[in-house]
Amino acid sequence: MISPSTPPGLLLRMYRDMIRIRKFEEKVYLLFLEGKVLGTIHQYQGQEAVAVGVCSALRRNDCITSTHRPHGHCIAKGVPLDSMMAELFAKSTGCCKAKGGSMHMGDISVGAVPAIAIVAGGVTLAAGMGLAYKLQRSDRVVACFFGDGAVNEGAFHEGANLAAIKKLPVVFICENNFYAASTPMQLTTPVGIAERAAAYGIPGVVVDGNDVAAVYQATVTAVARARRGEGPTLIECQTYRTVGHSRGDAGTYRPKEEVELWKQRDPIERLRRSLIADGAAENEIAAIEAEADREIETAVAFAESSLPPQPEDALLHVYGEGVTP
Amino acid sequence: MISPSTPPGLLLRMYRDMIRIRKFEEKVYLLFLEGKVLGTIHQYQGQEAVAVGVCSALRRNDCITSTHRPHGHCIAKGVPLDSMMAELFAKSTGCCKAKGGSMHMGDISVGAVPAIAIVAGGVTLAAGMGLAYKLQRSDRVVACFFGDGAVNEGAFHEGANLAAIKKLPVVFICENNFYAASTPMQLTTPVGIAERAAAYGIPGVVVDGNDVAAVYQATVTAVARARRGEGPTLIECQTYRTVGHSRGDAGTYRPKEEVELWKQRDPIERLRRSLIADGAAENEIAAIEAEADREIETAVAFAESSLPPQPEDALLHVYGEGVTP
Amino acid sequence: MKRLSIAEALREAMREEMLRDERVFLIGEDIGIPQGFGGAFTVTLGLSDEFGHERVVDTPISEKAIVGAAVGAAMMGMRPIADVQYSDFLFCAADEIINQAAKMTYMSGGTVKVPMVLRAPVGATNRGAQHAQSPEGFFMHVPGWKVAVPATAYDAKGLLKTAVRDEGPVLIFEHKRLYGKGGRKEAGGLDLTSGIPDEDYCIPFGQAVVRREGADLTIVATLLMMHRSLAAADLLAQEGINIEVIDPRTLVPFDNETMLASVAKTGKLLIVEEDNLTGGWGAEVAARVADSGFDLLDAPIKRLASYDVPMPFAPVLENFVVPSVDRIIELARAMVKGKV
Amino acid sequence: MKRLSIAEALREAMREEMLRDERVFLIGEDIGIPQGFGGAFTVTLGLSDEFGHERVVDTPISEKAIVGAAVGAAMMGMRPIADVQYSDFLFCAADEIINQAAKMTYMSGGTVKVPMVLRAPVGATNRGAQHAQSPEGFFMHVPGWKVAVPATAYDAKGLLKTAVRDEGPVLIFEHKRLYGKGGRKEAGGLDLTSGIPDEDYCIPFGQAVVRREGADLTIVATLLMMHRSLAAADLLAQEGINIEVIDPRTLVPFDNETMLASVAKTGKLLIVEEDNLTGGWGAEVAARVADSGFDLLDAPIKRLASYDVPMPFAPVLENFVVPSVDRIIELARAMVKGKV
Ligand SMILES: Cc1ncc(C[n+]2csc(CCOP(=O)(O)OP(=O)(O)O)c2C)c(N)n1
Ligand SMILES: Cc1ncc(C[n+]2csc(CCOP(=O)(O)OP(=O)(O)O)c2C)c(N)n1
Ligand SMILES: [Mg+2]
Ligand SMILES: [Mg+2]
């Protein structure tokens, strides 16, 4: 079951976004095998409750920073599937005009900063975004996503420390899926991730990252704190990627039983059961799923029919462009 | 008074080294004003108990890493004053052949790695040194000195984490003098420094850094732990530099009363009082001081009479030199 | 017209930009501490008194956080002026500089701008290898960054203002030996102040200045080496050798035209830089002229730079490593006489 | 003689060096995990099974710690072979690389050695700007580092062995598109394996190889661009244009002599590199020839490199940015015909 006291309408909307992520990822995987999606992909299956729980607690003009595994974050923050799919197809209509690709997905107009594929690279940037909000006397907040692997990078430390000492409106979301690529967390990180919050004098909480309502509630609390000017919170969302690290990874370094166990904790299944138990109609849920399918089909069609960029477009957008004084 | 249960003979030896540091620094300051010592200097007056307490707990073949403020560490580890003074005079007989200067002082033959002037730069190197000892099945340890300012650098975090997870024989010595250049610690560091040890699952202790016996005892414990293969310890030594950050800094950003207060806690005075109380003879102490004066005079004479390097020497020592297979 | 040093001119530029545009703020180490340093070289002295500690942000010693925060704040519409105390520490934040700031606009398909300024002092001053580098060449190499190298107070003020108003990231390299009012031997004993107009001015990027005209040889040099080249040219003039000295003022964009026009006139090019020879910005400049200026040349292109060594501490060594007025004179004379 | 790919040859070199010298160990991310990746590109696969997890050290994602620990261990008498998963991440450890590893021996007056190897995969492979760079030029610029750029499996093995036995730090750049056995289109469809002798061999640093002889034009190129240049040369041979292709194999030390001897013969130089144009290693090479080879040249020195942009994701864009066989052919032909 999932945590109580989240409005049922919201839960349904969260279910919808989780389904959209899952189906998007499944489709992208097939398209990758077909050779239509190029480069590499790091997929989000199994972790949907984190992105959706967090982003549901944000306003549209709040921002997120993301990682090499950004599809889920982007969908949850509201990046249109059309432009995401087009980006993966390397089309000019992509959300980054085919310059970013899977690892740099984003759309600033909905608050999704282009994803940063340097592990922990987003942490110091998020601190700076929070600093901007503070200087602007805005009550915006930034949610900064990163993995368990990121907490051993110097960038995590410096960014978390700066955000803490300056009481910046940042919510640090560690998606602890217990592996960084093939490396299990216990080989690299001597303590629990949330425990590191104490090193910065900020709250650190552990939540069940496969319980979307729990993630949501923890984020609501952290966001409220941030908006009050009391500074950042570190939320460790324990979850699991039920797929490989990147395309082509069979995940042989993980015990089969472990993968199976986590598949049983599937966040979407859990939410579905909970919704049904709470009285949602099967056909309502089926309609949500069907709509997601349609949306993805449309996105694929959009991507397919879009034009690739012109080769010379490669030369655009290097500089912000200067003044002519 | 100072902490009990340190052998009196050792205390006298520690007194000797602390006096050597103090007098060396005072002389260097004058020589700097005379224009004989060039470049910049970051001096150690007031912090002598840290270097001496720590190094007294090390064996000769243990190593230290040091910082932009290395004179005290080097003297405590046994670098000859002659070659240190010659280095400051930019003479070819200097411990780094006049290539290093004040900020890179060191002598590997006594276990003092040339000092690293990038704040926190030594922390990852120390981890690697510990890793070497472990792989070599040696029981050597490395003591890694850094300031309070260093604990906010990514390098501190990455180095401490690696040492912790691999249980490397490293003792981290934070000399907390409460300022990083002009910046007071409370502006930059939200929690006590020793508290950060918990983020790496290692012991963190606070000691009175002006009590040489306390520093020594804490280091003995940490060194023993390291030699047993149980990993690093973070020791926060609270102390104060009674001089400016670097040559020419009048330290106007520090309240006068604070400086005065700490001058009253002078580690050398404290140790002297304690020695006398414990029955050391005034003239024994005076002899130690006189010997230090003589040693420094000799060092100055050595430096003065040494030759500068040849300009072309600048071209030597760039590469380790290759094999000729 | 008042005369200001580079440090003063930079301070005035920041002050005026902060008054003009409330999005501008400063971020760095030791920059705003009461009774403190005003940064490693006094450039920000007094600004926290005037603008408060919100707009003069004192940070922990965390170069990654300084640069990363500037990137993040710039993306959100602010105009940070960040600084590191010595340019050597840029390498502590190389990821933020090279992988984040430089690439964000591009990766986003032009939708995200990073209007930030990053200031960094360069040059060797008897402090040893980790406080001595002149890493302009590294960053000239990174598409996305513009790179300014002001050698005079007038330029420092005007280039910094242009930098603040640019929509993308701009690095400004300032030379430690040029901050002061001059008259010191290391800087060639020159007056290093400039007359500064009362009115607001910006200096466009990509416009070199011919600091001295001459028909026998073109020298391209920046920062301290520009001053040393001018001193060398003055002395050589007494021998009847006339050297043209060009100060590019910005390395990115680089004013190829002014340089090529000069080489067209002199037929000979000498590049003088303080960074070590291999792979410095002088290599790029030489390569450009060896391509598009090949037919203008009547002699090999020469570069005078620091030797390929880390910077040594000892003055006698450092003076040997860094190009001196004498070495410039010697090489320039030999080039003009056709002896090299 | 067996034939190995570059990945296999590197693995064999590491294995043999670990057997030969117990001071040698590996350190990096995902390099020794049971049933894991064997590093980002399988190079270390199996080595932890053979040598255990003490000598194949899996680290946290901490590039500063990886490089810093390698420096520290090397100072204490070990021979670490460290690696980062993509060369882009070298910038995360730029301080350790540029300020620590490169300068320690010098700052110590030659008393402390840092015999370490740092491996880094380069090249664009449709992954966008942060997993695509070819930063050889940056590090060629840093005195203290030697820099190897093996384009064949034979060289990869021999250069890595030399690197391990060197007393100073050595960077090895490996191209992602060349790790495999070849035959793939991106690599020009060539067989990328080499015959590897049974006996131990090292390849001395600073000795270029003339991969192909020709009298009309000299091309200097490394890694993937070397293979593309060879392919271009083969095609141009059908038009009667004879191109000499030189593979420097190490950028530091650089074999100026072999290159100049070739330019003496051809009078024309084209440098092809994958890094972006401004300030790449090609700039340095051009600058050297524009100086000491000036009299040998009868045409402008040309460089063909990636455009000065971050690397875009889309294949159509990436293919436009990175020099292709076609663009090499076009420029080489124009040069030989005197049209540029
Ligand atoms: C600085 C840096 N080092 C290494 C990598 C290569 N890399 C990409 S993803 C990854 C693992 C990340 O693990 P984690 O942070 O736990 O995120 P997850 O993949 O589990 O979502 C690694 C090592 C990188 N992108 N950036
Ligand atoms: C990476 C880096 N950033 C900045 C500096 C400039 N700097 C030198 S010493 C110093 C203050 C260091 O403070 P702390 O670590 O507390 O040592 P203390 O000087 O108090 O001994 C600073 C900022 C540096 N050397 N390295
Ligand atoms: Mg993970
Ligand atoms: Mg301090």
Side-chain angles (χ1 to χ4, degrees):
Chain A
M1 296 307 278
I2 64 150
S3 298
S5 86
T6 303
L10 178 57
L11 282 178
L12 264 184
R13 283 206 300 283
M14 295 203 281
Y15 185 77
R16 173 174 167 271
D17 276 344
M18 287 166 69
I19 278 288
R20 290 169 76 229
I21 295 172
R22 176 69 55 91
K23 286 181 181 283
F24 182 86
E25 288 295 54
E26 284 171 351
K27 184 69 187 178
V28 164
Y29 187 69
L30 296 177
L31 291 163
F32 187 87
L33 295 181
E34 281 177 43
K36 294 199 169 157
V37 166
L38 296 152
T40 190
I41 44 172
H42 300 80
Q43 298 205 290
Y44 202 68
Q45 289 97 319
Q47 306 187 188
E48 293 88 348
V50 181
V52 172
V54 168
C55 292
S56 301
L58 301 178
R59 300 183 187 149
R60 186 182 168 95
N61 78 343
D62 292 329
C63 278
I64 62 166
T65 68
S66 177
T67 69
H68 59 284
R69 194 181 302 288
H71 303 176
H73 307 149
C74 287
I75 294 175
K77 193 66 182 67
V79 182
L81 300 197
D82 283 7
S83 70
M84 287 182 63
M85 195 63 87
E87 187 67 24
L88 292 172
F89 274 66
K91 296 297 178 73
S92 59
T93 52
C95 54
C96 300
K97 303 199 178 85
K99 285 191 166 150
S102 169
M103 287 201 278
H104 302 299
M105 205 74 94
D107 180 344
I108 196 74
S109 72
V110 300
V113 167
I116 294 162
I118 300 292
V119 167
V123 181
T124 60
L125 273 63
M129 294 163 67
L131 181 61
Y133 303 155
K134 188 174 167 190
L135 291 170
Q136 291 159 350
R137 314 230 176 278
S138 145
D139 69 350
R140 292 166 78 186
V141 306
V142 51
C144 171
F145 288 99
F146 50 86
D148 48 290
V151 300
N152 299 317
E153 281 281 0
F156 164 76
H157 180 67
E158 294 194 18
N161 187 62
L162 185 70
I165 193 77
K166 301 288 180 191
K167 296 202 184 302
L168 303 177
V170 185
V171 181
F172 293 113
I173 308 292
C174 181
E175 300 194 77
N176 182 3
N177 61 14
F178 298 97
Y179 287 84
S182 72
T183 306
M185 187 189 144
Q186 68 269 20
L187 278 190
T188 61
T189 316
V191 301
I193 288 167
E195 292 173 55
R196 288 209 164 152
Y200 313 107
I202 62 173
V205 295
V206 181
V207 300
D208 177 346
N210 282 16
D211 175 347
V212 72
V215 174
Y216 170 76
Q217 297 293 355
T219 311
V220 164
T221 304
V223 165
R225 181 181 143 85
R227 289 205 211 283
R228 285 196 307 271
E230 292 170 19
T233 301
L234 172 59
I235 304 177
E236 173 186 350
C237 302
Q238 298 189 339
T239 183
Y240 204 76
R241 61 169 158 74
T242 49
V243 294
H245 168 64
S246 58
R247 47 86 222 157
D249 168 25
T252 40
Y253 45 87
R254 302 192 301 188
K256 275 219 181 67
E257 313 74 59
E258 184 183 285
V259 181
E260 278 317 307
L261 186 75
W262 279 94
K263 280 192 175 159
Q264 263 135 55
R265 298 181 190 158
D266 186 79
I268 295 185
E269 263 309 299
R270 262 169 89 180
L271 179 55
R272 184 211 301 269
R273 280 201 303 272
S274 173
L275 286 168
I276 304 258
D278 287 353
E282 288 275 7
N283 65 354
E284 194 174 7
I285 286 178
I288 286 174
E289 290 171 7
E291 194 207 309
D293 284 329
R294 270 195 306 278
E295 192 187 356
I296 287 162
E297 263 169 53
T298 312
V300 173
F302 174 79
E304 296 259 22
S305 65
S306 292
L307 293 176
Q310 293 297 311
E312 298 75 19
D313 292 349
L315 304 178
L316 303 175
H317 310 309
V318 180
Y319 294 93
E321 307 314 328
V323 282
T324 327
Chain B
M1 296 307 280
I2 66 151
S3 297
S5 88
T6 304
L10 178 57
L11 281 178
L12 264 183
R13 283 206 299 284
M14 295 204 281
Y15 185 77
R16 173 174 167 270
D17 276 343
M18 287 166 69
I19 278 289
R20 291 170 74 230
I21 294 172
R22 175 69 56 90
K23 287 182 180 282
F24 182 86
E25 289 295 54
E26 285 171 351
K27 184 70 187 178
V28 164
Y29 186 68
L30 296 177
L31 291 164
F32 187 87
L33 294 181
E34 283 178 41
K36 293 200 170 159
V37 165
L38 296 151
T40 190
I41 44 173
H42 300 81
Q43 297 204 290
Y44 201 67
Q45 290 97 318
Q47 306 187 189
E48 293 88 348
V50 181
V52 171
V54 168
C55 292
S56 300
L58 300 178
R59 299 182 188 150
R60 187 181 168 96
N61 78 344
D62 293 329
C63 278
I64 62 167
T65 67
S66 177
T67 68
H68 59 284
R69 194 180 302 288
H71 305 175
H73 308 148
C74 287
I75 294 174
K77 193 64 182 67
V79 183
L81 300 198
D82 282 6
S83 70
M84 286 181 63
M85 195 63 86
E87 187 67 24
L88 292 172
F89 275 64
K91 295 297 177 72
S92 59
T93 52
C95 53
C96 299
K97 303 200 178 82
K99 285 192 164 149
S102 170
M103 288 202 278
H104 303 299
M105 206 73 95
D107 180 344
I108 196 74
S109 72
V110 300
V113 168
I116 294 162
I118 300 292
V119 167
V123 181
T124 61
L125 272 62
M129 293 163 68
L131 181 61
Y133 302 154
K134 188 174 166 188
L135 291 169
Q136 290 159 349
R137 314 228 175 282
S138 145
D139 68 351
R140 292 166 78 186
V141 306
V142 52
C144 171
F145 288 99
F146 49 86
D148 48 289
V151 300
N152 298 318
E153 281 281 1
F156 165 77
H157 180 67
E158 295 194 18
N161 187 62
L162 186 70
I165 192 77
K166 302 288 180 192
K167 296 201 185 302
L168 303 177
V170 185
V171 181
F172 293 113
I173 307 292
C174 181
E175 299 193 76
N176 182 4
N177 61 13
F178 299 97
Y179 288 85
S182 71
T183 306
M185 189 189 143
Q186 69 269 20
L187 278 190
T188 62
T189 315
V191 301
I193 288 166
E195 291 174 55
R196 287 209 165 150
Y200 313 106
I202 62 173
V205 294
V206 181
V207 300
D208 177 346
N210 283 16
D211 175 347
V212 71
V215 173
Y216 170 76
Q217 297 294 356
T219 311
V220 165
T221 306
V223 164
R225 181 180 142 86
R227 289 205 212 282
R228 286 196 307 269
E230 293 170 19
T233 301
L234 172 59
I235 304 178
E236 174 187 349
C237 302
Q238 298 189 338
T239 184
Y240 204 77
R241 60 169 158 75
T242 49
V243 293
H245 169 64
S246 58
R247 45 86 223 157
D249 168 25
T252 40
Y253 45 86
R254 303 192 300 188
K256 274 217 182 68
E257 313 73 60
E258 184 183 287
V259 181
E260 278 318 307
L261 185 75
W262 280 94
K263 280 192 176 160
Q264 262 133 56
R265 298 182 190 157
D266 186 77
I268 295 185
E269 262 311 298
R270 262 169 87 181
L271 178 54
R272 184 211 300 268
R273 280 199 303 272
S274 173
L275 286 168
I276 304 259
D278 287 354
E282 288 275 6
N283 66 353
E284 194 174 7
I285 285 178
I288 286 174
E289 290 171 7
E291 194 207 308
D293 284 330
R294 271 195 307 278
E295 192 187 357
I296 287 162
E297 263 170 53
T298 312
V300 173
F302 175 79
E304 296 260 23
S305 66
S306 291
L307 292 176
Q310 292 297 310
E312 298 75 19
D313 291 350
L315 305 178
L316 303 175
H317 309 310
V318 180
Y319 295 94
E321 307 314 329
V323 282
T324 327
Chain C
M1 225 164 31
K2 72 192 162 214
R3 296 194 71 84
L4 298 182
S5 68
I6 288 191
E8 290 163 342
L10 291 166
R11 190 182 306 136
E12 189 169 275
M14 289 195 271
R15 182 173 175 272
E16 289 175 10
E17 291 303 291
M18 289 175 85
L19 288 171
R20 184 186 60 77
D21 182 345
E22 61 177 16
R23 298 171 304 171
V24 179
F25 72 98
L26 314 184
I27 181 165
E29 297 162 15
D30 294 301
I31 61 173
I33 305 293
Q35 270 84 58
F37 301 164
F41 296 95
T42 74
V43 176
T44 60
L45 214 56
L47 294 174
S48 68
D49 297 332
E50 183 168 357
F51 296 101
H53 295 284
E54 279 223 333
R55 291 183 72 192
V56 180
V57 182
D58 281 298
T59 68
I61 310 181
S62 302
E63 286 74 13
K64 292 172 78 68
I66 292 169
V67 179
V71 175
M75 291 194 303
M76 294 297 110
M78 300 299 288
R79 302 253 154 181
I81 305 178
D83 82 281
V84 294
Q85 299 200 329
Y86 284 73
S87 64
D88 311 71
F89 314 155
L90 291 174
F91 298 124
C92 297
D95 175 58
E96 288 70 19
I97 298 169
I98 296 171
N99 288 330
Q100 315 301 345
K103 297 180 174 40
M104 187 53 77
T105 297
Y106 194 78
M107 297 191 309
S108 73
T111 57
V112 177
K113 298 282 165 72
V114 186
M116 65 177 279
V117 178
L118 181 53
R119 299 176 38 238
V122 304
T125 58
N126 304 141
R127 272 156 183 70
Q130 293 179 338
H131 288 71
Q133 293 166 87
S134 294
E136 303 94 282
F138 280 101
F139 299 99
M140 180 189 194
H141 181 40
V142 185
W145 280 95
K146 294 176 184 147
V147 178
V149 281
T152 69
Y154 179 85
D155 286 357
K157 183 170 179 190
L159 291 170
L160 180 51
K161 288 200 161 203
T162 305
V164 170
R165 300 179 196 185
D166 199 280
E167 296 294 323
V170 180
L171 258 159
I172 303 209
F173 290 102
E174 304 160 5
H175 200 288
K176 292 164 221 162
R177 289 205 194 277
L178 301 178
Y179 276 126
K181 293 196 183 289
R184 291 218 321 243
K185 196 165 122 270
E186 307 91 297
L190 298 168
D191 176 9
L192 289 175
T193 62
S194 303
I196 303 287
D198 289 328
E199 57 283 359
D200 185 46
Y201 68 97
C202 290
I203 296 177
F205 288 169
Q207 296 193 5
V209 165
V210 179
R211 295 281 177 200
R212 188 187 203 290
E213 296 195 17
D216 297 335
L217 170 72
T218 300
I219 290 185
V220 175
T222 58
L223 298 169
L224 181 63
M225 293 301 119
M226 198 285 290
H227 290 281
R228 291 200 175 161
S229 297
L230 278 180
D234 283 345
L235 290 165
L236 284 168
Q238 298 168 11
E239 301 176 19
I241 293 175
N242 293 310
I243 291 181
E244 182 141 312
V245 177
I246 292 179
D247 178 355
R249 302 202 292 184
T250 55
L251 294 175
V252 181
F254 192 90
D255 183 350
N256 296 316
E257 291 65 36
T258 300
M259 176 174 66
L260 289 172
S262 178
V263 175
K265 182 166 75 171
T266 64
K268 292 189 175 70
L269 175 62
L270 169 61
I271 301 151
V272 188
E273 71 176 311
E274 185 166 336
D275 201 356
N276 63 286
L277 183 73
T278 294
W281 63 260
E284 174 62 29
V285 169
R288 288 186 189 181
V289 177
D291 180 354
S292 49
F294 185 76
D295 296 332
L296 313 173
L297 290 165
D298 51 49
I301 299 170
K302 293 284 171 189
R303 290 176 293 156
L304 189 56
S306 288
Y307 292 111
D308 280 323
V309 303
M311 196 58 71
F313 153 65
V316 59
L317 301 176
E318 183 181 294
N319 292 341
F320 175 76
V321 170
V322 177
S324 61
V325 174
D326 284 349
R327 271 171 69 206
I328 299 171
I329 289 178
E330 210 175 309
L331 181 53
R333 187 194 289 124
M335 286 180 74
V336 171
K337 302 215 162 145
K339 295 206 173 129
V340 283
Chain D
M1 225 166 30
K2 71 192 162 214
R3 296 196 71 85
L4 298 182
S5 68
I6 288 190
E8 290 164 342
L10 291 166
R11 189 182 307 135
E12 189 168 276
M14 290 194 271
R15 182 174 176 272
E16 290 174 11
E17 291 303 291
M18 289 176 84
L19 289 171
R20 185 187 59 78
D21 183 346
E22 61 177 17
R23 298 171 304 172
V24 179
F25 72 98
L26 314 184
I27 181 165
E29 296 162 16
D30 295 300
I31 62 174
I33 305 293
Q35 269 85 58
F37 300 165
F41 296 95
T42 74
V43 175
T44 60
L45 215 55
L47 294 175
S48 68
D49 298 331
E50 184 169 356
F51 296 100
H53 295 284
E54 280 223 332
R55 291 184 71 193
V56 181
V57 182
D58 281 299
T59 68
I61 310 181
S62 303
E63 285 75 12
K64 291 171 78 67
I66 292 169
V67 179
V71 175
M75 291 195 303
M76 294 297 110
M78 300 299 288
R79 301 253 154 180
I81 304 179
D83 82 282
V84 293
Q85 299 199 329
Y86 283 74
S87 64
D88 311 71
F89 314 154
L90 291 174
F91 298 124
C92 297
D95 176 57
E96 289 70 20
I97 298 169
I98 295 170
N99 288 330
Q100 314 301 346
K103 297 180 174 40
M104 186 53 76
T105 298
Y106 194 77
M107 297 191 310
S108 73
T111 56
V112 177
K113 298 282 165 72
V114 186
M116 64 177 280
V117 178
L118 180 54
R119 299 178 38 238
V122 303
T125 59
N126 303 142
R127 272 155 182 72
Q130 294 179 338
H131 288 72
Q133 293 166 87
S134 295
E136 303 93 281
F138 280 101
F139 300 99
M140 180 190 194
H141 180 40
V142 184
W145 280 95
K146 294 175 183 148
V147 178
V149 282
T152 69
Y154 179 85
D155 286 356
K157 183 171 179 190
L159 291 169
L160 180 52
K161 289 199 161 204
T162 305
V164 170
R165 301 179 196 185
D166 198 280
E167 297 293 322
V170 180
L171 257 159
I172 302 208
F173 290 103
E174 304 160 7
H175 199 289
K176 292 164 220 162
R177 289 206 193 276
L178 301 178
Y179 276 126
K181 292 195 183 290
R184 292 221 318 246
K185 197 167 123 267
E186 307 91 296
L190 297 169
D191 175 9
L192 289 174
T193 62
S194 305
I196 303 287
D198 290 327
E199 56 284 358
D200 185 47
Y201 68 98
C202 291
I203 295 177
F205 289 170
Q207 295 193 6
V209 165
V210 179
R211 295 281 178 201
R212 187 184 203 291
E213 295 194 17
D216 298 334
L217 169 72
T218 300
I219 290 184
V220 176
T222 58
L223 298 167
L224 181 62
M225 293 301 120
M226 199 285 292
H227 290 281
R228 291 200 176 161
S229 298
L230 277 180
D234 282 345
L235 290 165
L236 284 168
Q238 296 169 13
E239 301 177 18
I241 293 175
N242 293 311
I243 291 182
E244 183 141 311
V245 177
I246 292 179
D247 179 354
R249 303 202 290 185
T250 54
L251 294 175
V252 181
F254 192 91
D255 183 351
N256 297 315
E257 291 66 36
T258 299
M259 175 174 66
L260 290 172
S262 178
V263 174
K265 182 166 75 173
T266 64
K268 293 190 175 70
L269 175 62
L270 169 61
I271 301 152
V272 188
E273 70 176 313
E274 185 166 335
D275 200 357
N276 63 287
L277 183 72
T278 294
W281 62 260
E284 175 62 28
V285 170
R288 288 186 189 182
V289 177
D291 179 354
S292 50
F294 185 75
D295 297 331
L296 310 173
L297 291 166
D298 51 50
I301 299 170
K302 293 284 170 189
R303 290 176 294 157
L304 189 57
S306 288
Y307 292 111
D308 280 323
V309 303
M311 196 58 72
F313 154 64
V316 59
L317 300 177
E318 183 180 295
N319 292 341
F320 174 77
V321 170
V322 178
S324 62
V325 174
D326 284 348
R327 271 171 70 205
I328 300 171
I329 289 178
E330 211 175 308
L331 181 53
R333 188 193 288 124
M335 286 180 75
V336 172
K337 301 214 163 146
K339 295 205 174 129
V340 283

